[in-house]
Amino acid sequence: MMWVEIKSDIFTLDNYKKIIFLLGIISERPFMSNNTKAKVYVEYDLISNTDLFEKLDSIDKEFLEDSFKQYFYEDNPEIKYMVSNQIRKDIFNLDEAIVLLKEPFWIILENNKNDENFIKSIIFHFDNTEDKYLTDCVKNRWIQFDNAGGCGNVKNLIKGRLNSFENLAAQNNAELKKYYQAFVILDSDKDYENQNIKQDYINLIEYLETIDVNFHILEKRAMENYMPNEVLSEIKNAKSASSDQNDIQCVKWIDVYFNLSESQRNFLKYSGHDSFDDLPNDAQELYRNQLTVNYEFLQNGMKYRDTRQNIESEERRFKNAFPKLFLESSVINKKTLNDRCGSNELQTIFDSINSLL
């Protein structure tokens, strides 16, 4: 849960309308939500006798008092943002706080818009907290997803977001990055485990570090490589009796998939491999035992299609249909996700996002 401290010097009648606006943002609790967007810590003894506090309606007064009490009930609550008239780089005045807290927390994905299903699945299945705060953040759009359309465009996307704060930053002699909250998740795009990351990634990481934006590069090739084996079995069972050529090819591809080693599955290109001779030498060694007919299936890619009749033809295609299984498959859960991951990586991703909110 995000904690915001509002210092007592803010509680003057001149700030009444802005305080009301800020409290409205912080105390937002959409229908069926367990949580408000944030909690507020105030120096209650100092503000409860002010003219501004007396002017607040009973709901806002109750919210401030309840949050104040909850602060002391929690174990080690951490103030994320401080609102005050003091002039410091790490403090927000009222205007800055309103802009900051109106903004969502952005999770930036490098590729397909549907990759967000993978991250949502992690959040929904790894959120074991009683109040399900991160789950509410996704459902209430306090967390939103930005899709860059490739590693090379991540920087441009972020710069566009940062530039939207130009006037506010100039008014307050602040850096643009002060108002931007984001976490970047990148596919590794590796053909094999020990392959070096691309120069484009190195350049992007250097940029992210200059603007204090956290990031994570996936250990496996891409997000589809984290799809639990149980989902592949489920697809095979559903399509085994089909006479559709795509379904037949999909089942054969899955049969090959289950004959692959863990390392081969981790760096498998679901959309179709390069010809064997075009692979890097280490990738050739990785897939050498799959030559002939098996490699032909890997080279053609997985022919998964969503065959439901009530969706648009574009949504039936692999790139749109397959990622939806992270949210729609009945066999997706924390255990199956962890089993396929084979490490603590998914928990690390969840914890990283949680720590930034």
Side-chain angles (χ1 to χ4, degrees), residues 92-194:
F92 296 81
N93 61 36
L94 267 174
D95 290 328
E96 291 178 305
I98 287 169
V99 170
L100 175 79
L101 293 168
K102 279 171 61 181
E103 283 286 305
F105 178 86
W106 293 104
I107 296 180
I108 300 173
L109 303 175
E110 176 189 356
N111 286 314
N112 191 294
K113 64 183 178 66
N114 290 309
D115 284 349
E116 69 184 58
N117 295 322
F118 172 58
I119 307 304
K120 287 179 179 178
S121 185
I122 294 172
I123 290 173
F124 294 158
H125 292 293
F126 282 72
D127 190 354
N128 296 325
T129 59
E130 184 177 350
D131 60 7
K132 302 285 185 183
Y133 179 63
L134 248 61
T135 298
D136 274 352
C137 283
V138 172
K139 291 180 176 180
N140 298 335
R141 301 178 72 252
W142 301 331
I143 288 177
Q144 291 188 40
F145 295 86
D146 251 343
N147 299 284
C151 171
N153 200 45
V154 172
K155 183 176 179 179
N156 292 333
L157 187 151
I158 292 175
K159 281 189 170 183
R161 294 286 181 194
L162 288 173
N163 288 341
S164 69
F165 302 118
E166 279 183 340
N167 289 339
L168 183 67
Q171 291 166 12
N172 293 283
N173 193 29
E175 294 182 272
L176 297 173
K177 66 182 183 180
K178 181 177 182 180
Y179 312 110
Y180 185 64
Q181 312 161 81
F183 184 63
V184 177
I185 301 176
L186 302 169
D187 294 341
S188 75
D189 282 339
K190 289 183 178 181
D191 296 301
Y192 54 91
E193 185 170 5
N194 296 320

Side-chain angles (χ1 to χ4, degrees), residues 281-298:
N281 289 338
D282 285 348
Q284 288 186 11
E285 288 305 310
L286 180 60
Y287 292 102
R288 190 171 298 279
N289 69 342
Q290 300 299 324
L291 285 178
T292 66
V293 67
N294 277 7
Y295 196 81
E296 289 178 18
F297 282 111
L298 299 182

